[in-house]
Amino acid sequence: MRFAAVVIASISIAGQIAASAKTVEYTWTLKPRRASAKDPSLSPDCNLNRLMLLVNDQLPGPSIEADVGDTVKVNINNESPTESIALHFHGLHMKGQPYKDGSATVTQCASGPLQKQTYEFIVLDQGTHYWHGHTSMERADGFQGPIIISDPDNDDEKQLRTKYDDDAVVFLQDCCNAFQMAHTITLTRRVIFLILHTSGIISMDRREYGLDTNPFIWIGNAQTFLINGGGVYAPCLGDDTDGLAAQLSAQCADNCSLDNYIKSIEVEAGKTYRLRIISGTELIGVNFAIYGHNMTVVEVEGAIIQPYEVENLDIMPAQRYSVLITANQEPGNYWATTSVRYRNTAPTGYLNIKYKDAPAANLTLDAAAPNHPAWDVTEPTIELEDNLLTKNPNSYDDYDILSTDPDSIRRIIAVGTQNMDNELDLLRWAMNNVTMRMSKVPLITQAYDAVASDSENTWPGTILPGTVVVPDKPPNAWNYTEPVQDSVGVYNGDRGFSYIPLTENEVVEVVLQNALALNGETDPKSYNLVNPVRRDTVSLLPLGWTAIRANNPGAWAFHCTQPAHAVMGMGFTFITSPDLIESPPAAARSCVENSLSPQAADDDEPSSSTMSTFEGVVAAASVLVGCSILLQ
């Protein structure tokens, strides 16, 4: 079995703030919304029973668009009576702005129901990114949207802009209209749970409740896949394969049809377009393809790369790509579709590529569609990642991280395991045997206060009361050629507010392992240390490993980008030199001073599942480690 070996340098952009920098301000209102038979316009997929959490009644939410050097100001009014929120700007490194990252319990307090909050920061990172809620699983309820950052002074971007005529966002989301319950619970309990959910008694779509029960209730597969906020729930087209869940949830809009609910992107024959593909999925990694059109990958999460042509593209939760397509076919309507990767079932996503002046669509699922690889074939992902090469790596000010003396690099081996936590009597994830829990107080303020008050110890020797330090290596060795569950007796140990301490300018190599181990003597010799892709979310394939490097200062969450896994404890926080950061602003302490910690776990009730993706922010950059793990 081959494995993916990707070296990723978290390199921050050399920031020369242009004299033309401006302030870009947005005012948003977030509220729970549900479509109705009288007004089905809020339904993304014909289903009228889905409670959504929407910004300005948009799905996906409104775009943030700015230039490098601009100040972005987002005023958000939380009109939900039940949900606490934080707004994370995924892909923006926030270098020198450690309290602006928007990760609840790590860099800030969540703002409570019916509260307002303002985020203000300087943009340093060009490219295709996205914002989303970051307290629990609310991004799957619709609380997310695109971020598009341009750098008018960047030579690579200026050259890229000459290659296309226009650009468009392709935003991918999976949508759960019903629960796919574990077979271990009774039919009566399923019905009660579904009725509570569909009636709104369970606030929002809080599928995490089932993750914190015994018997365990998995969130289940999505029932609809949305592209640019459009799709069709299968039962609304007469498909009742969902059984009980579909019967309870399928209240369908009278105007349900592919033409009314599938979104379109209009193109003009002979022109080239930049599609910014953003995966805001909760669970599903997918393969994206357009019938009759090849794509050329030119950007990966802000990094301009050497052009690489593909027929289809693997994209995992939280990843982003820019691809160029040329409208070189006969004018008509062409399906762009998604197919599931590394799970054996999921709905198909549909987007219509409509040529200007083409006949009316009259869309049908019987029309020709592109081909996709089988769900469990890893070669397309490996081939793609092997060919993602940063175009000009020496344009980044941290380029020298690639030439660091190997003997001076700190290597952290991170292994995720899933098992019943006997003390909690719950199914949990752990990283190096430590299950992450959400702190009642932001870890960044805890770290700042601890180093400020400790006159005897210097960082990283400072003790943070009530926290757990994650070891640099798994405490239990196992047969690295087989799944860890088959060879280790105990692999869920401690639990708590977990972190790994780092120091400024320390070069760290994080090796994420999924059974097959990196050979410390031979494998690093195969690293690409010339032009590796610079990105913040990576895939970890079955029986594979992925290595990343980072050296930026800060304090950031590092976790699975599949919210259910993170909620169950799959992650930790990197805290880097808190003695060098500025004192926390008042907002970072608001939950302490006002007793607002609605998402924090009680001592006997930790929160946090079953296929994986990692989101992590390493050092002063949002280094999101996305791993797509097939659980056995």
Side-chain angles (χ1 to χ4, degrees):
M1 170 85 64
R2 289 187 62 192
F3 52 86
V6 183
V7 177
I8 298 170
S10 171
I11 308 172
S12 54
I13 293 177
Q16 296 296 323
I17 305 305
S20 59
K22 59 189 180 296
T23 296
V24 182
E25 186 169 0
Y26 299 90
T27 298
W28 295 347
T29 298
L30 175 76
K31 61 176 67 175
R33 302 285 276 158
R34 192 196 302 269
S36 66
K38 290 184 178 179
D39 181 14
S41 61
L42 291 175
S43 172
D45 63 351
C46 300
N47 186 283
L48 304 179
N49 221 12
R50 176 70 156 91
L51 191 63
M52 308 291 288
L53 192 61
L54 301 181
V55 171
N56 296 357
D57 283 351
Q58 297 179 36
L59 183 72
S63 295
I64 293 175
E65 299 183 15
D67 292 336
V68 169
D70 287 349
T71 295
V72 170
K73 187 176 182 179
V74 179
N75 309 295
I76 185 162
N77 305 314
N78 179 13
E79 294 191 2
S80 169
T82 58
E83 302 300 305
S84 295
I85 63 168
L87 188 59
H88 174 56
F89 306 95
H90 190 125
L92 303 188
H93 291 181
M94 300 300 177
K95 187 173 185 180
Q97 306 171 94
Y99 299 101
K100 307 296 179 69
D101 189 58
S103 178
T105 79
V106 176
T107 62
Q108 70 159 85
C109 297
S111 58
L114 307 179
Q115 291 188 336
K116 299 179 181 180
Q117 187 166 2
T118 295
Y119 293 84
E120 186 171 352
F121 54 89
I122 297 173
V123 176
L124 302 174
D125 311 284
Q126 70 178 32
T128 304
H129 310 294
Y130 80 122
W131 59 265
H132 60 81
H134 206 295
T135 56
S136 185
M137 298 174 69
E138 65 279 357
R139 88 167 189 246
D141 298 317
F143 186 25
Q144 57 181 341
I147 300 176
I148 308 300
I149 306 299
S150 299
D151 187 354
D153 298 323
N154 182 280
D155 291 338
D156 289 336
E157 185 176 336
K158 285 191 288 188
Q159 184 181 28
L160 177 58
R161 284 200 297 268
T162 67
K163 304 297 184 182
Y164 61 90
D165 299 286
D166 203 353
D167 64 353
V169 168
V170 177
F171 203 98
L172 310 177
Q173 297 171 265
D174 41 12
C175 184
C176 293
N177 289 311
F179 287 94
Q180 191 170 25
M181 301 295 191
H183 68 277
T184 53
I185 63 174
T186 65
L187 177 62
T188 300
R189 190 177 178 192
R190 294 189 202 183
V191 173
I192 292 173
F193 202 85
L194 286 165
I195 291 174
L196 290 174
H197 162 63
T198 55
S199 66
I201 295 174
I202 294 179
S203 65
M204 294 309 303
D205 193 18
R206 300 296 293 277
R207 293 173 302 286
E208 69 265 35
Y209 288 163
L211 306 178
D212 288 337
T213 63
N214 188 0
F216 175 76
I217 305 175
W218 175 232
I219 64 172
N221 290 321
Q223 286 78 45
T224 310
F225 198 90
L226 307 177
I227 303 183
N228 287 351
V232 177
Y233 184 33
C236 293
L237 293 179
D239 185 344
D240 194 32
T241 56
D242 276 351
L244 176 64
Q247 294 170 34
L248 289 175
S249 287
Q251 299 179 8
C252 302
D254 290 339
N255 67 341
C256 185
S257 70
L258 296 177
D259 289 298
N260 286 338
Y261 282 84
I262 298 297
K263 304 300 182 181
S264 296
I265 291 178
E266 185 174 271
V267 299
E268 188 173 343
K271 290 188 174 182
T272 297
Y273 296 84
R274 178 181 185 175
L275 301 185
R276 299 177 182 266
I277 307 172
I278 301 171
S279 178
T281 58
E282 175 187 44
L283 178 67
I284 301 173
V286 298
N287 181 268
F288 177 85
I290 306 171
Y291 183 76
H293 298 75
N294 284 354
M295 301 174 286
T296 300
V297 185
V298 292
E299 180 225 344
V300 180
E301 294 155 25
I304 306 299
I305 67 166
Q306 297 177 13
Y308 176 59
E309 186 174 357
V310 296
E311 294 181 358
N312 54 69
L313 179 76
D314 275 354
I315 180 167
M316 304 302 156
Q319 293 184 336
R320 291 95 61 209
Y321 293 94
S322 282
V323 301
L324 301 183
I325 67 164
T326 299
N328 55 9
Q329 300 296 305
E330 290 294 321
N333 296 279
Y334 294 84
W335 276 134
T337 60
T338 65
S339 178
V340 67
R341 300 288 281 139
Y342 307 113
R343 302 190 69 81
N344 60 6
T345 181
T348 299
Y350 293 91
L351 174 71
N352 180 33
I353 304 299
K354 182 182 185 303
Y355 276 64
K356 184 180 179 180
D357 299 327
N362 192 23
L363 299 175
T364 172
L365 299 182
D366 295 329
N371 294 321
H372 297 280
W375 69 271
D376 56 349
V377 175
T378 60
E379 281 74 16
T381 305
I382 296 171
E383 183 176 357
L384 172 68
E385 293 182 345
D386 284 347
N387 286 280
L388 300 178
L389 306 173
T390 299
K391 187 175 181 180
N392 285 311
N394 58 0
S395 65
Y396 298 100
D397 62 356
D398 286 354
Y399 173 62
D400 59 355
I401 192 175
L402 299 177
S403 57
T404 302
D405 180 358
D407 294 334
S408 69
I409 297 175
R410 176 181 175 186
R411 179 175 289 163
I412 296 171
I413 309 296
V415 176
T417 52
Q418 184 189 71
N419 194 34
M420 284 298 296
D421 187 311
N422 293 329
E423 182 173 322
L424 301 174
D425 199 28
L426 294 172
L427 187 66
R428 298 288 87 167
W429 276 97
M431 296 297 293
N432 290 359
N433 283 33
V434 178
T435 294
M436 174 183 69
R437 297 177 60 187
M438 302 302 174
S439 172
K440 296 175 185 287
V441 179
L443 284 172
I444 194 170
T445 63
Q446 292 187 61
Y448 177 86
D449 291 342
V451 297
S453 61
D454 190 341
S455 59
E456 297 183 1
N457 301 299
T458 58
W459 189 262
T462 310
I463 296 175
L464 306 188
T467 61
V468 180
V469 176
V470 177
D472 281 9
K473 293 179 174 57
N476 298 324
W478 78 95
N479 180 349
Y480 295 110
T481 63
E482 63 183 25
V484 61
Q485 287 89 337
D486 293 344
S487 37
V488 179
V490 178
Y491 41 88
N492 280 47
D494 212 340
R495 63 204 61 77
F497 314 139
S498 55
Y499 74 98
I500 290 179
L502 305 176
T503 58
E504 185 184 28
N505 295 325
E506 179 180 17
V507 178
V508 177
E509 185 172 289
V510 182
V511 181
L512 297 162
Q513 293 193 175
N514 188 12
L516 188 65
L518 173 142
N519 184 309
E521 297 296 328
T522 60
D523 288 332
K525 295 178 181 178
S526 67
Y527 284 178
N528 174 9
L529 296 176
V530 177
N531 55 355
V533 62
R534 174 194 183 272
R535 68 184 313 171
D536 52 59
T537 307
V538 299
S539 303
L540 180 58
L541 295 176
L543 295 178
W545 55 263
T546 295
I548 71 172
R549 284 188 184 176
N551 74 340
N552 293 325
W556 316 96
F558 183 91
H559 63 82
C560 181
T561 52
Q562 292 169 312
H565 284 167
V567 165
M568 291 177 65
M570 197 177 196
F572 50 83
T573 296
F574 282 112
I575 301 179
T576 308
S577 298
D579 51 326
L580 301 180
I581 63 176
E582 62 187 4
S583 60
R589 300 186 186 277
S590 62
C591 49
V592 182
E593 297 172 354
N594 299 294
S595 299
L596 287 173
S597 56
Q599 290 296 333
D602 293 332
D603 289 343
D604 58 348
E605 295 182 5
S607 62
S608 227
S609 98
T610 301
M611 169 187 148
S612 299
T613 317
F614 274 88
E615 174 178 8
V617 184
V618 178
S622 286
V623 173
L624 299 151
V625 176
C627 69
S628 196
I629 300 175
L630 174 65
L631 297 182
Q632 302 298 323

